[in-house]
Amino acid sequence: MAPSLEEPEPIDMDAPLKAAPKLVAPEPEHCPGPESQLAGKGDACAGCPNQSICASAPKGPDPDLPFITARLSGISHKILILSGKGGVGKSTFTAMLGHAFAANPDSQVGIMDTDICGPSIPKMMGVETETIHVSSSGWSPVWVNDNLSVMSIQFMLPHRDDAVIWRGAKKNGLIKQFLKDVEWGDLDFLLVDTPPGTSDEHLSVNSFLKESGVDGALLITTPQEISLLDVRKEIDFCRKAGIRILGLVENMSGFVCPNCKHESQIFAATTGGAKQLAAETNIPFLGAVPLDPRIGMACDYGESFFDAYPDSPACEALRNVVGRLEDQIGLNLDKATGPTTNDEEMANA
């Protein structure tokens, strides 16, 4: 039996982190928030039609946080994959990163797809037609191979092309279920693929995972300034939310011809690209992964680009990123992903 969107699970999907008070007027400027300890008591609350409602609303942490923390206690490293702009290859990079970590047979890897309205991870991992199985111990993630599992709303849709038209509170409820009810087991890495931007899904994931511990966020961008504009907002979000930034990766960084190996700049870095932005904002630059048409083909067919083209420039660049990411989270393991390029190459670039 698989969970279905046609039959709601026994959880209040209209509640975000906890039951929010029903307000009678829009929240005013400088509102501390209806769930804040200062709700109804702050200076900004004076004269607000919601003052008595907010003052009497229940306060305190989400009662499900201890259950989430217990469920995730067997996961060593939790990494958020973020991007300010859509279309920069964040989900594609998450899929490749999952395969890269899983290349070590001693590692157990999970991918949680929190892009509720645009779930693409199942397609990229080749498990789009699978469903979720439910047991007395919880929901079972879908296994890509022996040490790589996935959870996504795509597995719950009655039809693959059905749109998910939900407001933020309902999205938050499902994300909570992914963390509280999914039997992740003992994992070395849980990669959390998020939608673009800095909205409900990001706030929910951060709130739910804060108690159990998050290693940090990996930011994905492309070289052009139009993408970097939104990445700057993502950096600001992480700092305001108290999320450690593990590093910045420049995806689609040039196109390497598979025949002659010549590199062309498809998306010109008019303002210095991700490397310059990392230097300006004092965050680690983990590397640049070139554009390769075979990456898109591998995702369309649900295959591992990492396994299919291990000698490609993009795969070598990915190995370098994985090595530097492992350094950021304090790993000193024998990497099955192979040797990385000497960091001096980046310093001299």
Side-chain angles (χ1 to χ4, degrees):
M1 172 182 170
S4 171
L5 296 184
E6 295 177 323
E7 299 180 4
E9 293 296 312
I11 182 174
D12 184 4
M13 299 296 282
D14 292 323
L17 304 186
K18 55 182 181 293
K22 302 298 183 181
L23 305 182
V24 297
E27 297 175 19
E29 187 179 5
H30 307 306
C31 173
E35 298 174 6
S36 167
Q37 295 292 339
L38 295 176
K41 304 174 183 178
D43 294 339
C45 302
C48 176
N50 301 314
Q51 185 172 11
S52 60
I53 299 174
C54 294
S56 60
K59 307 296 190 298
D62 190 303
D64 285 326
L65 287 180
F67 297 100
I68 293 174
T69 301
R71 175 70 84 175
L72 304 181
S73 61
I75 302 176
S76 301
H77 300 284
K78 308 174 193 73
I79 301 172
L80 309 181
I81 317 296
L82 308 178
S83 72
K85 176 71 69 178
V88 300
K90 172 185 50 58
S91 295
T92 300
F93 195 88
T94 301
M96 291 196 297
L97 189 61
H99 282 298
F101 279 135
N104 183 341
D106 295 328
S107 293
Q108 293 291 325
V109 184
I111 299 178
M112 189 174 83
D113 185 1
T114 65
D115 194 342
I116 306 301
C117 295
S120 53
I121 289 293
K123 175 70 173 178
M124 295 177 178
M125 305 304 288
V127 291
E128 186 182 23
T129 59
E130 299 294 328
T131 58
I132 303 169
H133 297 282
V134 179
S135 67
S136 59
S137 58
W139 298 0
S140 298
V142 172
W143 291 90
V144 179
N145 53 42
D146 291 341
N147 65 339
L148 179 58
S149 60
V150 174
M151 177 55 67
S152 172
I153 193 176
Q154 183 67 41
F155 303 133
M156 303 168 64
L157 298 179
H159 306 286
R160 57 171 287 182
D161 294 330
D162 286 352
V164 179
I165 309 173
W166 285 359
R167 294 186 186 275
K170 205 166 184 180
K171 295 178 183 179
N172 297 341
L174 183 63
I175 292 173
K176 178 190 283 189
Q177 286 190 284
F178 281 176
L179 295 168
K180 182 171 69 76
D181 296 337
V182 174
E183 188 182 12
W184 290 106
D186 294 333
L187 297 178
D188 295 286
F189 305 98
L190 177 64
L191 308 178
V192 182
D193 184 43
T194 64
T198 55
S199 192
D200 291 301
E201 295 90 335
H202 310 80
L203 292 171
S204 295
V205 168
N206 185 47
S207 297
F208 293 141
L209 290 180
K210 183 170 289 186
E211 189 171 320
S212 63
V214 179
D215 287 80
L218 180 64
L219 307 185
I220 310 297
T221 185
T222 47
Q224 72 273 37
E225 177 61 21
I226 198 67
S227 177
L228 299 178
L229 281 172
D230 289 339
V231 173
R232 291 186 181 92
K233 296 179 176 65
E234 199 78 44
I235 293 171
D236 184 56
F237 165 78
C238 288
R239 288 174 170 166
K240 288 179 178 176
I243 303 172
R244 178 190 173 199
I245 300 176
L246 298 174
L248 181 63
V249 176
E250 185 174 274
N251 197 27
M252 306 184 199
S253 180
F255 166 69
V256 178
C257 176
N259 297 319
C260 68
K261 307 300 181 185
H262 175 72
E263 182 172 342
S264 301
Q265 298 302 318
I266 305 298
F267 303 110
T270 55
T271 57
K275 187 174 183 180
Q276 179 64 32
L277 176 60
E280 292 172 356
T281 54
N282 195 31
I283 62 176
F285 177 60
L286 301 187
V289 179
L291 186 66
D292 189 324
R294 297 171 296 184
I295 295 176
M297 291 178 60
C299 290
D300 282 351
Y301 288 108
E303 299 174 351
S304 170
F305 174 82
F306 193 84
D307 293 337
Y309 304 100
D311 298 326
S312 65
C315 196
E316 177 60 27
L318 179 62
R319 288 193 188 94
N320 294 334
V321 171
V322 171
R324 296 182 184 106
L325 178 59
E326 288 179 331
D327 290 340
Q328 288 296 317
I329 60 178
L331 291 182
N332 293 304
L333 303 176
D334 293 330
K335 304 178 181 65
T337 52
T340 61
T341 302
N342 193 314
D343 285 355
E344 292 181 359
E345 292 185 10
M346 288 186 59
N348 296 329

